[in-house]
Amino acid sequence: METAASLDIVRENKFEVKKYEKSNKLITGKFNMSKFEQDIMAYCLTVIRGRHFSEVEMERGISVKLSVREIRNEILDGTERKSIYEDLVRVSEKLQSQTIMIESLDETRKDKNEFVLFPLVKTCAYKNGEFIMTFHENVSPLIVNNQKYFTILDFTTLKSLNSNYAKRIYELLKMKSFTMQDGQYEWEVSVIDLKLTIGIIDGEKDKVKKILEKYKNNPEEMERQINLLDEGMSSTDKKKKRQVHKFKEWRDFRKYVIEVARKEMLASCEKGISDIAFDYETITKGKKVIGIKFIIYEGALYKLRHEAEPKQMSMFDVSDVIESISPDGKIDYEDVAKILEDKGVRPKSDYSP
């Protein structure tokens, strides 16, 4: 959703708006991509936006050509790389091995739930200074505007985010915020569904697929069975990202995924780039966090609200400060107060009523 205020901010900061369209099925598809892979794919979608494709092209799979100069300037911000060729080899290998799981869920008939799994990219090639990527034919209908449900996203916003998980969360929140009223929208999602969607849980592994199918109506047992797959894994394998389930504990998932995404989108919003920002609340069952309620705000309004309020820290920020100075749980409140003061956070009594 764009407002005159948000467009004025973009013009003032001279950020070029590059829109791309993406099927909601593809946005909610379960996969994990690196930052570079997501940026390349999103930029390709800006290139093909508004173009007409014949039935033959759709059946063969849509192809996009990018020059090395274009990749360097538009995706890498002019950064000089030792070898873009080697970067493209690596990203091509990842993209061609990437599969997408698209689910069709029937809330009234659990036995009617279905999914289809297919490759994202058919071929990647580099020739005469051009990188050519051909999407799989099953993906073609999901990346051009000939389907009923799709979302318009902003490439400049996506590229401003440094975390690959933040990029995925941005697209999900943007998709959910299309019915935003008065600059705000709320969306609730279970933790395990979010982890599967953004790739925290590796849904591409055969053992995981079997667990997802067997325990699709029992999220708690599903998570327990998935966690068992990582038992006994060496630290070397973890460093090589062979874990099935990263950030198992809510504390880690919040700190390294949700909070990173929140802060990156807020920073992007404050620069006049991001068109949305968010806060969130937890949904619990007993002492366990089982879901998240995202409160999504239109970017320009959130920026104005954030600037108008006295600087405060969320309970999550404060817990991180406490943990950083007192990992053993013995809290020195004078040290905590000093750190908060250094961050510009004033005691509540200093606020104007």
Side-chain angles (χ1 to χ4, degrees), residues 230 233-243:
D230 285 335
M233 178 171 285
S234 67
S235 57
T236 301
D237 281 341
K238 288 181 180 179
K239 287 180 180 178
K240 291 181 178 179
K241 300 181 179 179
R242 291 174 178 166
Q243 286 174 285

Side-chain angles (χ1 to χ4, degrees), residues 105-313:
L105 303 178
D106 186 336
E107 295 297 330
T108 61
R109 294 279 303 279
K110 297 297 182 183
D111 58 322
K112 289 292 185 181
N113 292 347
E114 300 174 347
F115 72 85
V116 59
L117 199 70
F118 50 81
L120 173 67
V121 173
K122 187 189 296 187
T123 61
C124 291
Y126 179 75
K127 187 177 181 180
N128 297 328
E130 283 189 323
F131 176 67
I132 305 102
M133 185 168 72
T134 303
F135 290 99
H136 190 275
E137 57 269 21
N138 285 352
V139 178
S140 296
L142 303 178
I143 60 176
V144 296
N145 185 14
N146 64 351
Q147 67 281 325
K148 187 175 180 180
Y149 301 108
F150 67 95
T151 298
I152 299 176
L153 301 134
D154 179 44
F155 175 71
T156 308
T157 297
L158 184 86
K159 194 159 65 73
S160 72
L161 306 174
N162 295 316
S163 163
N164 57 321
Y165 300 128
K167 292 175 187 286
R168 292 284 282 126
I169 289 173
Y170 160 70
E171 290 191 334
L172 285 166
L173 297 188
K174 186 66 177 173
M175 179 193 74
K176 292 295 180 179
S177 65
F178 78 101
T179 56
M180 185 180 287
Q181 294 182 351
D182 299 323
Q184 182 175 329
Y185 184 79
E186 295 181 359
W187 172 51
E188 294 184 6
V189 60
S190 72
V191 170
I192 193 165
D193 280 348
L194 183 60
K195 285 182 173 182
L196 281 164
T197 299
I198 66 177
I200 299 293
I201 296 175
D202 189 351
E204 294 184 23
K205 293 187 182 296
D206 290 337
K207 290 181 179 179
V208 176
K209 293 174 190 174
K210 291 178 181 177
I211 291 172
L212 295 180
E213 178 62 24
K214 184 174 182 179
Y215 299 102
K216 59 187 177 185
N217 298 324
N218 189 344
E220 292 181 2
E221 183 61 22
M222 178 193 295
E223 184 176 8
R224 194 182 77 83
Q225 292 292 331
I226 288 173
N227 288 344
L228 289 175
L229 299 177
D230 285 335
E231 283 196 353
M233 178 171 285
S234 67
S235 57
T236 301
D237 281 341
K238 288 181 180 179
K239 287 180 180 178
K240 291 181 178 179
K241 300 181 179 179
R242 291 174 178 166
Q243 286 174 285
V244 169
H245 185 183
K246 299 184 286 292
F247 309 122
K248 294 179 177 65
E249 299 297 326
W250 161 251
R251 182 189 189 97
D252 294 331
F253 180 58
R254 173 195 64 77
K255 183 175 182 178
Y256 297 111
V257 179
I258 304 299
E259 276 295 299
V260 169
R262 183 184 70 82
K263 291 173 182 177
E264 285 190 7
M265 288 175 64
L266 176 57
S268 181
C269 176
E270 289 177 335
K271 293 175 184 176
I273 305 174
S274 179
D275 47 3
I276 58 170
F278 74 89
D279 289 323
Y280 64 97
E281 299 172 1
T282 58
I283 301 168
T284 59
K285 183 178 181 180
K287 294 183 178 181
K288 184 178 176 62
V289 177
I290 61 169
I292 303 172
K293 180 169 78 170
F294 287 97
I295 302 97
I296 312 163
Y297 300 94
E298 195 277 329
L301 293 179
Y302 189 77
K303 181 175 182 291
L304 292 173
R305 195 188 79 158
H306 184 75
E307 290 175 343
E309 292 178 346
K311 187 173 180 182
Q312 300 182 61
M313 295 180 77

Side-chain angles (χ1 to χ4, degrees), residues 29-137:
K30 293 173 171 55
F31 60 90
N32 182 19
M33 286 187 183
S34 70
K35 294 182 292 183
F36 192 24
E37 291 166 45
Q38 291 189 69
D39 288 348
I40 279 188
M41 181 172 175
Y43 184 74
C44 285
L45 297 185
T46 70
V47 172
I48 65 175
R49 187 184 184 205
R51 285 173 50 187
H52 173 75
F53 295 93
S54 66
E55 290 185 11
V56 173
E57 288 176 304
M58 296 288 286
E59 290 172 359
R60 289 178 179 173
I62 294 171
S63 291
V64 185
K65 291 183 180 180
L66 304 177
S67 69
V68 169
R69 184 175 183 178
E70 194 173 9
I71 292 171
R72 179 180 286 115
N73 292 339
E74 299 293 341
I75 299 174
L76 301 175
D77 292 325
T79 304
E80 291 295 332
R81 305 286 275 257
K82 289 182 178 179
S83 176
I84 286 187
Y85 178 86
E86 292 179 2
D87 289 337
L88 291 176
V89 168
R90 284 193 292 271
V91 79
S92 296
E93 289 174 344
K94 290 289 296 295
L95 285 171
Q96 285 198 249
S97 65
Q98 183 72 252
T99 57
I100 305 293
M101 180 188 289
I102 305 293
E103 291 185 290
S104 299
L105 303 178
D106 186 336
E107 295 297 330
T108 61
R109 294 279 303 279
K110 297 297 182 183
D111 58 322
K112 289 292 185 181
N113 292 347
E114 300 174 347
F115 72 85
V116 59
L117 199 70
F118 50 81
L120 173 67
V121 173
K122 187 189 296 187
T123 61
C124 291
Y126 179 75
K127 187 177 181 180
N128 297 328
E130 283 189 323
F131 176 67
I132 305 102
M133 185 168 72
T134 303
F135 290 99
H136 190 275
E137 57 269 21

